[in-house]
Amino acid sequence: QVLLTESGPGLVKPSQTLSLTCTVSGGSILRDGDYWSWLRQAPEKGPEWIGAIDYRSTPYYSPSFKSRISISRARFKNQFTLQLRSVTPEDAAVYYCGRSFRAQVRSRDEGSWGQGTQVTVSS
């Protein structure tokens, strides 16, 4: 019953920071045991877990992105955010936010996910 909606820019220039927001309804990001995750997928790459934040605001980052990402929550708005710095064309993908029950997920088969938002990296 949880509904997640991604929002943010569809186009980001190389070297800029991508900022995405996930708005959650039908559930609370403060619920014990929940992890709030970001995943992306490009046609040639398949799903790629980016990171997550848990109900205690502890972040978990994929080693592939650790130096470039920050994930935070906005409790009173029931939403959480992703910042991906220094983007390159390789970061172009559909970005999804979701609720899962462990930090790292293999695909959107785990948990509940939004419809995704397309991000293009181009100057």
Side-chain angles (χ1 to χ4, degrees):
Q1 61 185 5
V2 64
L3 177 65
L4 305 99
T5 304
E6 303 89 350
S7 62
L11 177 65
V12 184
K13 294 183 177 181
S15 81
Q16 292 186 335
T17 296
L18 170 65
S19 296
L20 298 174
T21 298
C22 184
T23 301
V24 179
S25 62
S28 173
I29 63 173
L30 301 180
R31 182 181 298 170
D32 289 357
D34 285 350
Y35 297 83
W36 303 90
S37 301
W38 289 97
L39 174 150
R40 73 183 188 186
Q41 187 164 0
E44 73 279 6
K45 293 184 178 180
E48 188 174 23
W49 178 72
I50 301 169
I53 188 165
D54 72 11
Y55 56 100
R56 299 189 184 277
S57 298
T58 301
Y60 304 83
Y61 300 141
S62 167
S64 300
F65 302 92
K66 185 177 181 179
S67 65
R68 296 198 291 139
I69 62 171
S70 297
I71 298 175
S72 60
R73 73 180 189 187
R75 179 180 60 186
F76 294 107
K77 297 182 179 179
N78 209 32
Q79 62 186 24
F80 60 104
T81 61
L82 167 69
Q83 294 84 45
L84 178 61
R85 297 177 289 275
S86 302
V87 301
T88 72
E90 287 71 35
D91 293 313
V94 179
Y95 285 73
Y96 300 88
C97 63
R99 182 187 68 187
S100 57
F101 299 100
R102 57 183 176 183
Q104 183 174 348
V105 296
R106 184 179 297 272
S107 73
R108 291 182 291 123
D109 290 337
E110 274 187 76
S112 300
W113 298 87
Q115 293 298 305
T117 185
Q118 175 72 57
V119 175
T120 299
V121 181
S122 176
S123 60

